[in-house]
């Protein structure tokens, strides 16, 4: 792969000051829990984005996206959400900094191999690479947790997705061979070794991204907030679904069903169960109880599909195709949903055979070729 510095040089005819690499992420368990103040268990992966960057003096940001073969220039004086999403991932981050910080502008070149729209957080990787690079370039003295929050704010304000903190945190804080147990309420975290013994992680990519992904994502967030408001009428101390129990939800929300519909009840029930599941799953992982860990992944999928309703027929199909295979200990949809990937824990010796047979069934059911990725865990955002 041509080095990002070379791409930068060939395009801008000058040398980059700094180059940064930022990874995509997987999430073993803990889905749609981050924006509910819960726990997640992600890891950074060996699919990454690289940026090369140099200061300018003409108050413009000149951008070159290598893989899309697109260029764009915007003035640092008027940073507004842009029609091109990839531009938003860059300028959205700049807009989080005090105006004077990067007013003089910069040139930036972006490239990577994280499949776009596959739910591996390519957008977060770009945002994290940009904020990390600007922090170095201008010596801003930002800590990584602050960078994660700024990248998240960029996604909210410029990309229009009210995402949680997981993707950015995983990209910035990832470590090789480790998963991160992140407490999204306090941004405290702990690394756990990822030892899957004779098993490995394989992602099955539906090659689908349903158009409603971001609008439904934002709706789920609102439904959870609605649930919290109903719970607060009886339990004023509940600030988020992190503070609620299944019993409280049954007590307060089931009674409200006629008023609120069953949706809010189902959403909350899934989230509370999932927050609990992550905390026990991490112990299973530590103890090497992979089979029990895998069962929890299937339970998560069931909840995401039936109660949280963020799956889709293609994701359900991929999970069903492996669910009774003795060489697959866990499988579920991963990330926001409505397309993207499933994450599977498969016996190494059976990966080739399982992949081939799932690919065949997927092709005949959907007419689409299934991409698969055997990912490993890698270091988070760093200088190149
Ligand atoms: C997307 C969001 C994350 C998280 C997941 C679901 O990846 O960006 O913040 O909410 O969906 O767990």
């Amino acid at each position: 792969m041509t080095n990002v510095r070379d791409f930068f040089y060939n395009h801008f005819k000058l040398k980059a000051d700094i180059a940064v690499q930022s990874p995509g992420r997987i999430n073993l368990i803990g889905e749609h829990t981050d924006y509910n103040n819960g726990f997640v268990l992600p890891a950074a992966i060996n699919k990454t984005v690289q940026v090369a960057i140099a200061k300018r003096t003409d108050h413009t940001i000149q951008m070159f996206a290598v893989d899309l073969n697109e260029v764009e220039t915007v003035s640092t004086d008027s940073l507004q959400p842009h029609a091109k999403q990839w531009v938003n991932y860059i300028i959205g981050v700049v807009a989080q900094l005090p105006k004077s910080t990067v007013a003089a502008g910069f040139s930036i070149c972006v490239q990577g191999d994280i499949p776009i729209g596959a739910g591996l957080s390519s957008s977060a990787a770009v945002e994290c690479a940009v904020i990390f690079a600007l922090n170095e370039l201008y010596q801003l003295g930002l800590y990584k947790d602050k960078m994660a929050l700024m990248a998240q704010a960029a996604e909210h304000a410029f990309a229009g997705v009210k995402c949680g903190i997981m993707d950015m945190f995983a990209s910035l804080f990832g470590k090789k061979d480790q998963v991160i147990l992140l407490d999204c309420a306090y941004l405290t975290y702990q690394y756990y070794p990822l030892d899957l013994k004779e098993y490995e992680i394989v992602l099955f990519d539906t090659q689908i991204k349903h158009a409603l992904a971001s609008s439904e994502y934002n709706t789920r967030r609102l439904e959870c907030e609605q649930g919290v408001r109903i719970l607060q009428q009886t339990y004023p101390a509940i600030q988020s679904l992190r503070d609620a129990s299944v019993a409280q939800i049954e007590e307060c929300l089931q009674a409200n069903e006629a008023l609120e519909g069953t949706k809010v009840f189902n959403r909350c029930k899934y989230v509370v169960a999932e927050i609990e599941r992550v905390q026990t799953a991490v112990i299973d992982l530590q103890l090497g109880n992979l089979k029990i860990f895998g069962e929890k992944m299937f339970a998560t999928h069931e909840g995401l599909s039936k109660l949280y309703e963020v799956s889709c027929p293609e994701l359900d199909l991929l999970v069903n195709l492996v669910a009774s295979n003795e060489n697959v200990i866990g499988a579920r949809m991963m990330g926001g949903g409505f397309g993207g990937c499933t994450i599977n824990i498969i016996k190494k010796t059976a990966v080739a055979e399982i992949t081939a047979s799932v690919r065949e069934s997927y092709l005949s059911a959907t007419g689409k070729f299934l991409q698969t990725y055997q990912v490993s865990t890698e270091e988070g955002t760093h200088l190149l």
Side-chain angles (χ1 to χ4, degrees):
M1 193 159 60
T2 311
N3 186 301
V4 70
R5 285 180 184 272
D6 297 337
F7 277 120
F8 186 96
Y9 185 82
N10 293 339
H11 183 75
F12 292 110
K13 308 292 176 233
L14 60 113
K15 276 179 77 176
D17 294 329
I18 276 172
V20 167
Q21 175 164 298
S22 202
R25 62 104 189 89
I26 51 171
N27 184 26
L28 272 88
I29 200 157
E31 220 63 90
H32 288 272
T33 46
D34 58 355
Y35 55 85
N36 286 303
N37 277 350
F39 296 90
V40 290
L41 195 64
I45 56 170
N46 58 337
K47 293 202 171 290
T48 60
V49 158
Q50 294 94 36
V51 304
I53 193 165
K55 286 182 185 173
R56 303 184 63 86
T57 53
D58 62 357
H59 296 255
T60 66
I61 302 172
Q62 304 223 352
M63 295 162 271
F64 173 36
V66 176
D67 307 299
L68 304 174
N69 196 23
E70 286 185 17
V71 294
E72 205 60 51
T73 299
V74 301
S75 160
T76 54
D77 301 332
S78 58
L79 293 175
Q80 299 297 331
H82 196 276
K84 288 182 182 163
Q85 257 326 22
W86 71 267
V87 173
N88 285 325
Y89 304 143
I90 300 171
I91 63 173
V93 164
V94 178
Q96 307 311 314
L97 294 166
K99 222 173 173 176
S100 58
T101 324
V102 292
F106 58 89
S107 302
I108 185 166
C109 173
V110 185
Q111 71 161 105
D113 67 351
I114 308 175
I116 295 170
L120 304 182
S121 298
S122 55
S123 62
V126 174
E127 289 153 353
C128 293
V130 171
I131 189 68
F132 195 94
L134 291 173
N135 185 51
E136 286 291 326
L137 193 64
Y138 291 96
Q139 293 294 300
L140 304 178
L142 299 171
Y143 290 111
K144 282 201 283 186
D145 46 4
K146 177 72 181 161
M147 290 187 215
L149 289 166
M150 290 172 107
Q152 182 194 23
E155 188 88 23
H156 285 200
F158 277 64
V161 181
K162 304 282 178 208
C163 66
I165 195 71
M166 169 171 73
D167 306 344
M168 294 78 190
F169 204 93
S171 190
L172 283 158
F173 285 84
K175 266 197 202 305
K176 191 160 177 49
D177 298 326
Q178 310 277 316
V179 291
I180 311 168
L181 177 67
L182 171 65
D183 181 338
C184 301
Y186 305 101
L187 293 192
T188 49
Y189 58 97
Q190 200 172 337
Y191 294 102
Y192 289 89
L194 182 63
D195 178 10
L196 296 178
K197 301 180 184 138
E198 70 268 37
Y199 292 88
E200 67 176 300
I201 292 172
V202 185
L203 307 180
F204 291 162
D205 184 350
T206 58
Q207 300 286 302
I208 281 166
K209 185 82 195 165
H210 291 292
L212 27 88
S214 49
S215 61
E216 286 293 314
Y217 184 94
N218 293 345
T219 305
R220 290 301 170 280
R221 227 187 140 126
L222 294 174
E223 287 164 347
C224 291
E225 284 165 15
Q226 196 183 343
V228 170
R229 281 196 299 275
I230 298 169
L231 286 159
Q232 280 172 340
Q233 291 165 11
T234 313
Y235 297 100
I238 292 179
Q239 295 297 312
S240 69
L241 291 179
R242 163 75 169 272
D243 308 326
S245 67
V246 172
Q248 287 170 330
I249 287 170
E250 280 171 356
E251 177 197 338
C252 304
L253 296 182
Q254 226 160 14
N256 259 286
E257 257 180 47
L259 198 66
E260 305 293 344
T262 57
K263 268 190 205 165
V264 172
F265 169 70
N266 285 343
R267 308 302 190 232
C268 295
K269 205 169 157 190
Y270 161 75
V271 170
V272 169
E274 180 73 351
I275 292 174
E276 166 80 26
R277 214 163 12 235
V278 184
Q279 293 170 87
T280 54
V282 81
I283 299 169
D284 300 332
L285 197 64
Q286 252 183 307
L287 296 176
N289 292 334
L290 296 182
K291 216 173 153 341
I292 302 176
F293 185 89
E295 281 161 13
K296 290 186 174 141
M297 291 173 73
F298 283 118
T300 295
H301 185 80
E302 181 75 7
L304 288 167
S305 181
K306 305 272 165 53
L307 297 175
Y308 216 64
E309 295 182 288
V310 290
S311 187
C312 61
E314 296 85 355
L315 287 166
D316 288 344
L317 172 67
L318 288 176
V319 172
N320 287 336
L321 284 170
V322 298
S324 52
N325 190 311
E326 57 177 12
N327 291 318
V328 179
I329 55 171
R332 63 176 194 83
M333 58 150 279
M334 187 179 74
F338 300 101
C341 290
T342 61
I343 177 169
N344 305 269
I345 301 186
I346 304 180
K347 199 170 216 167
K348 285 178 187 162
T349 50
V351 168
E353 193 195 318
I354 291 174
T355 302
S357 101
V358 171
R359 189 169 276 155
E360 201 184 309
S361 308
Y362 192 70
L363 183 66
S364 69
T366 67
K368 287 197 179 295
F369 181 81
L370 180 81
Q371 292 285 354
T372 66
Y373 317 114
Q374 280 163 268
V375 290
S376 60
T377 55
E378 289 297 333
E379 288 301 306
T381 315
H382 58 273
L383 283 174
L384 284 174

